[in-house]
Amino acid sequence: MANLRFKVVGEAFRKKALAVQAPEGMTSEYYGKYVFNRETMVKYLSKETYKILTKAIDNGETLDRTVANGVAAGMKSWAMEMGATHYTHWFQPLTEGTAEKHDSFIEYAGAPGGSVLEEFSGKLLAQAEPDASSFPSGGIRSTFEARGYTAWDPSSPAFIVDDTLCIPTVFISYTGEALDYKTPLLKAVNAVTKAATEVCHYFDSSVKKTYSYLGWEQEYFLVDEGLYSARPDLLLTGRTLIGHESAKNQQLDDHYFGAIPERVQAFMKDLEFEGYKYNIPLKTRHNEVAPNQFELAPIFNEVNFAIDQNLLIMNLMDKVARKHGFRVLLHEKPFAGINGSGKHCNWSIGTDTGVGLFTPGKTPEENLQFITFVVNALMAVYKNNALLKASVMTAQNAHRLGANEAPPAIISAFLGTQISAVLDQLENAKAEEAIVMAGKNKLKLGVSTIPEVLVDNTDRNRTSPFAFTGNRFEFRAVGSSANCACAMIALNSAMAAQLKEFKAEVDAKIAAGDSKSKALFEVIKKYIKESKSIRFDGNGYSDEWKAEAAKRGLNCETSVPVIYDAYTTPESVKMFQSVNVFTERELEARNEIKWEIYTKKIQIEARVLGDLAINNVIPMATHYQSLLLDNLYKMSQIYGKDEALKLSKTNSDLVKEISERVAKIKSYTEEMIEARKVANKIDSERSKAVAYHDTVIPFFDKIRYEIDKLEMIVDDELWTLPKYREMLFIG
């Protein structure tokens, strides 16, 4: 039987996986082994070079090119001692992944054709020129215009993968526009750092710098490599386009936080070992609610570092999983009928004095600062709720958002009862009234052996896309396969623009004669009233909320291509320009790329689905139908036609049902292909994407419904595609 064959394959991988063991020992002994971090820099750089480099990193200063030579020399010595023979500028093009072109250290020692030596200069470190013609540019570059530049980002440490020194870089066009995620991310982080620092000076003049932090939580699925390879849809699209749900899936919630399967534990241990060598402080691992779904999360870090680490860990996950006979699925919805995967982004801002700006304080002054930043965050989300949704929306994430498993496709903010009550009181408070925030309450359980539990000042709301969780906001709508830089660019830019506006309003009131405290209070009260519609503490899954959100004027659009329009509204263009993150041309180009990628994703899925339907499913079904007809014929030879039909009514009904469903599958597939052909003739990327959304996607569910019904009646031995019950439960 098919499922028995798949079990045999899985058993072979299980034995192989358990033979792979991560080395034992203290994590601190090998932590950061493959990273050119500060501890390594001290050993391989001169004191003067180290001093200049770290000062530039800490203060955001531009490095002199002459310093790059000293850094390159030390970096090369370290890399070669670690076994590296090549280097690459590692960057983040607008494809959601990473890119790299490897060059060897060797150069001719003298005349061409002679001996070689290893060389790595400051020039090679600081800048490279990869071919930019094949990367998405959204019209910024023509196909025949190939020149693009990568430039070293000193603030993100270099690292070694296998035999290659990887240097994190930005990627820009010949004309200077950003062709990557890192360039605008660095601009957004710098903008919010500057704006937040200036606002902090209302409360503490000793603050010299603020930092934007990110703690991501990466959800993922694991599936046996043999089963993965036997599913063309998983192989080519990352998700199952067909497949009837398993009789048992997640309805018992027994997988959530359950005991981790032995094979998975071995994979996790090996992955953590690899992650630690790259300075990735992986802290948490556990089973998620869906079968074969898991999560890992590190300790938070500065946004730029955290995103580089997330991209690196996604690559490592794939590499390590193959060693263990698994494939990692990062698609937001690889299996229908069970939860999809997200990448929750815990975002906060802190000062160089150690104060978390989203952390309640112990004094009225500290709490005023806390309320100031919380209210400005609410205003940023309120003004840019459509943009924030656009920053996380993709063809893949559309399957997840809005379902009863993830945040709804409406951006709102959750604060919890206590913070909401404080803001409500402040609406009508007088300037001289102090802000008092309750600390953690003690909850007595009445069991003598269990200590008192400290209760946070807010509960958690898993239906909220942007939830306050005690000292940070959790942006829950980001998809598991996404580069979270996209969301962090939008969020940090919006916050920076909002803080600039806040400071301008407060300063204007102070200039008009108000005291600082009165000016702060008046502007905060105004913002509390203006942003009230973004606050929602209830069930974001309910139909009532959808109706209420529309009344409040929040963006309720669900079409992915139309949602992208939020990037190029006059308000968004003005906001991004005000903080020097994007030009209007760059925003228009990014939308062109988003529409094009959306279209191609759906186009590939449609082609794969059509191929599966015509070349796999229909032949399997008709083959089984032939066996049934053969049985009916033989029965008629023995009992006569009428009696045979009575005795084999079930088989007769199955023959008829198969014919009807096969006819529908063929008809729907042909209609889908025609709709695709019509859409492909559209020149406008936006209109083409809308056409794919409106006229091609609707056939997916129609075709799948008929196929999934056939799966339930065709002989299991003849159904050659692995089923959900086989893929979702690791032995």
Side-chain angles (χ1 to χ4, degrees):
M1 292 177 65
N3 59 340
L4 179 60
R5 180 174 71 252
F6 295 137
K7 283 182 179 179
V8 170
V9 172
E11 178 63 18
F13 278 123
R14 187 186 74 83
K15 291 178 179 177
K16 173 185 173 183
L18 294 179
V20 179
Q21 294 293 330
E24 301 292 337
M26 297 291 290
T27 302
S28 57
E29 294 174 6
Y30 53 83
Y31 189 79
K33 175 182 178 181
Y34 291 142
V35 180
F36 196 65
N37 51 30
R38 296 198 182 204
E39 291 80 4
T40 307
M41 289 179 193
V42 169
K43 299 176 184 177
Y44 288 88
L45 301 182
S46 69
K47 288 184 179 180
E48 185 62 23
T49 300
Y50 175 80
K51 180 180 178 182
I52 295 172
L53 177 59
T54 53
K55 183 180 178 183
I57 293 171
D58 293 339
N59 300 327
E61 298 174 359
T62 303
L63 268 179
D64 189 284
R65 278 296 185 101
T66 57
V67 177
N69 286 324
V71 177
M75 200 179 281
K76 185 193 78 170
S77 296
W78 167 73
M80 291 184 65
E81 284 183 23
M82 296 296 292
T85 57
H86 291 67
Y87 67 92
T88 183
H89 277 198
W90 187 76
F91 58 101
Q92 304 169 28
L94 300 174
T95 57
E96 295 280 323
T98 57
E100 51 199 69
K101 175 177 71 75
H102 297 197
D103 286 300
S104 146
F105 286 129
I106 65 168
E107 296 286 350
Y108 281 124
S115 61
V116 298
L117 51 75
E118 285 77 17
E119 182 178 306
F120 185 59
S121 65
K123 180 181 178 181
L124 296 175
L125 167 64
Q127 182 177 317
E129 186 186 322
D131 187 335
S133 62
S134 295
F135 288 108
S137 72
I140 285 179
R141 306 291 290 151
S142 299
T143 303
F144 63 86
E145 295 175 312
R147 197 182 297 277
Y149 297 113
T150 52
W152 173 41
D153 171 20
S155 66
S156 191
F159 54 91
I160 294 172
V161 175
D162 296 326
D163 65 350
T164 303
L165 172 66
C166 300
I167 303 155
T169 63
V170 299
F171 180 43
I172 59 174
S173 73
Y174 177 72
T175 48
E177 290 91 356
L179 295 177
D180 67 341
Y181 284 107
K182 183 177 274 275
T183 303
L185 176 71
L186 292 174
K187 290 181 178 180
V189 169
N190 288 339
V192 80
T193 290
K194 184 175 184 298
T197 301
E198 291 180 351
V199 171
C200 280
H201 290 163
Y202 288 133
F203 310 97
D204 184 357
S205 60
S206 68
V207 173
K208 295 179 181 178
K209 188 176 181 180
T210 57
Y211 302 89
S212 178
Y213 294 110
L214 169 64
W216 43 264
E217 303 168 22
Q218 179 74 60
E219 294 176 336
Y220 61 97
F221 281 84
L222 290 175
V223 65
D224 274 309
E225 188 161 23
L227 306 183
Y228 172 88
S229 299
R231 288 289 305 227
D233 46 358
L234 272 183
L235 189 68
L236 298 176
T237 73
R239 76 179 182 105
T240 53
L241 299 171
I242 61 175
H244 198 284
E245 66 179 21
S246 173
K248 178 185 184 296
N249 47 51
Q250 68 180 50
Q251 61 264 58
L252 296 176
D253 295 328
D254 54 337
H255 190 258
Y256 191 51
F257 281 18
I260 300 171
E262 188 179 20
R263 282 181 63 198
V264 178
Q265 182 92 343
F267 158 77
M268 289 177 169
K269 184 177 179 181
D270 200 9
L271 178 62
E272 287 175 354
F273 173 69
E274 292 299 320
Y276 291 151
K277 289 189 290 188
Y278 289 98
N279 265 20
I280 304 174
L282 297 175
K283 179 77 172 177
T284 302
R285 63 188 187 198
H286 64 83
N287 289 3
E288 258 299 336
V289 68
N292 277 18
Q293 186 186 33
F294 308 94
E295 180 179 299
L296 60 85
I299 303 170
F300 69 92
N301 209 331
E302 291 181 44
V303 167
N304 184 30
F305 303 156
I307 289 172
D308 281 359
Q309 290 174 341
N310 181 243
L311 292 170
L312 179 55
I313 202 67
M314 288 197 290
N315 290 334
L316 290 173
M317 287 169 75
D318 182 66
K319 182 178 177 181
V320 174
R322 293 184 190 219
K323 286 171 55 180
H324 290 261
F326 289 127
R327 283 300 183 100
V328 170
L329 303 181
L330 293 177
H331 192 289
E332 282 70 9
K333 191 74 170 178
F335 301 101
I338 60 175
N339 281 15
S341 297
K343 178 150 44 196
H344 304 163
C345 289
N346 295 279
W347 171 73
S348 63
I349 305 174
T351 71
D352 58 350
T353 59
V355 175
L357 298 177
F358 294 138
T359 303
K362 297 179 180 179
T363 67
E365 183 81 358
E366 290 173 347
N367 282 325
L368 178 57
Q369 177 175 267
F370 162 72
I371 291 296
T372 294
F373 280 90
V374 167
V375 170
N376 274 283
L378 291 177
M379 280 293 286
V381 175
Y382 165 64
K383 291 179 180 178
N384 299 278
N385 72 96
L387 173 66
L388 290 174
K389 181 163 68 175
S391 75
V392 302
M393 190 57 77
T394 62
Q396 309 95 282
N397 211 18
H399 295 285
R400 169 178 165 264
L401 295 184
N404 284 5
E405 59 178 78
I410 302 168
I411 300 296
S412 64
F414 166 83
L415 295 178
T417 306
Q418 185 186 139
I419 309 296
S420 291
V422 170
L423 296 192
D424 290 340
Q425 292 171 10
L426 279 174
E427 274 194 70
N428 302 305
K430 296 179 180 179
E432 60 270 16
E433 291 183 9
I435 300 175
V436 179
M437 297 292 302
K440 291 188 177 183
N441 299 315
K442 292 182 178 180
L443 182 65
K444 293 186 177 181
L445 301 180
V447 182
S448 60
T449 56
I450 297 178
E452 294 173 328
V453 176
L454 294 179
V455 181
D456 289 291
N457 53 30
T458 174
D459 198 353
R460 300 186 69 181
N461 186 331
R462 67 183 303 272
T463 74
S464 175
F466 195 77
F468 181 71
T469 56
N471 59 2
R472 62 194 182 278
F473 282 96
E474 184 179 18
F475 195 9
R476 295 176 53 86
V478 183
S480 55
S481 68
N483 181 338
C484 44
C486 194
M488 289 296 103
I489 291 166
L491 182 55
N492 282 285
S493 297
M495 186 64 170
Q498 177 55 44
L499 289 172
K500 283 181 66 177
E501 185 175 328
F502 172 77
K503 186 173 187 303
E505 289 194 47
V506 171
D507 287 350
K509 285 185 173 295
I510 293 173
D514 284 354
S515 66
K516 182 181 74 172
S517 60
K518 183 179 179 183
L520 288 167
F521 261 93
E522 291 303 317
V523 177
I524 288 170
K525 286 165 60 178
K526 173 191 167 189
Y527 285 178
I528 291 172
K529 292 176 182 177
E530 286 183 22
S531 64
K532 204 164 188 176
S533 61
I534 202 68
R535 288 160 49 194
F536 179 66
D537 289 357
N539 181 8
Y541 295 156
S542 68
D543 291 333
E544 291 80 8
W545 165 235
K546 294 174 185 176
E548 173 63 22
K551 287 181 183 178
R552 295 186 185 188
L554 303 183
N555 186 281
C556 300
E557 181 61 62
T558 57
S559 168
V560 177
V562 176
I563 287 170
Y564 291 151
D565 289 342
Y567 268 100
T568 51
T569 62
E571 295 80 10
S572 291
V573 172
K574 181 181 178 182
M575 185 275 290
F576 280 120
Q577 287 179 335
S578 73
V579 291
N580 193 34
V581 171
F582 284 126
T583 64
E584 186 170 6
R585 187 183 184 207
E586 287 174 322
L587 288 169
E588 291 171 349
R590 280 165 196 261
N591 262 11
E592 288 291 308
I593 294 168
K594 286 178 180 291
W595 286 318
E596 183 181 7
I597 289 176
Y598 178 84
T599 296
K600 289 178 177 177
K601 292 270 189 184
I602 305 304
Q603 186 182 74
I604 291 169
E605 289 189 349
R607 287 175 172 173
V608 172
L609 179 57
D611 179 56
L612 280 172
I614 302 302
N615 296 316
N616 289 76
V617 173
I618 289 179
M620 287 188 294
T622 53
H623 178 51
Y624 181 54
Q625 186 182 48
S626 295
L627 295 177
L628 295 174
L629 287 169
D630 184 59
N631 174 265
L632 286 170
Y633 174 76
K634 290 175 179 176
M635 292 283 285
S636 68
Q637 294 298 302
I638 298 173
Y639 300 109
K641 181 179 179 181
D642 292 341
E643 186 65 19
L645 288 174
K646 289 180 182 178
L647 293 172
S648 301
K649 187 176 186 306
T650 299
N651 284 0
S652 176
D653 290 345
L654 287 175
V655 168
K656 181 181 178 182
E657 182 179 352
I658 289 171
S659 293
E660 291 172 348
R661 296 198 184 281
V662 164
K664 287 182 180 180
I665 290 169
K666 189 172 185 299
S667 175
Y668 289 149
T669 301
E670 289 172 349
E671 290 180 56
M672 178 182 69
I673 291 171
E674 285 304 310
R676 208 172 70 226
K677 288 179 178 178
V678 171
N680 288 340
K681 294 177 182 178
I682 300 172
D683 292 329
S684 161
E685 291 294 350
R686 182 188 185 279
S687 299
K688 186 187 294 185
V690 170
Y692 263 87
H693 177 275
D694 294 348
T695 66
V696 177
I697 286 181
F699 286 106
F700 285 20
D701 285 343
K702 291 180 179 179
I703 296 169
R704 179 174 193 148
Y705 177 81
E706 302 300 332
I707 289 176
D708 289 357
K709 289 296 184 181
L710 285 177
E711 182 186 315
M712 296 302 289
I713 62 176
V714 171
D715 186 340
D716 188 58
E717 189 173 352
L718 299 179
W719 195 267
T720 59
L721 299 169
K723 297 182 177 181
Y724 272 29
R725 69 168 184 263
E726 293 153 346
M727 292 186 288
L728 285 175
F729 297 94
I730 294 174

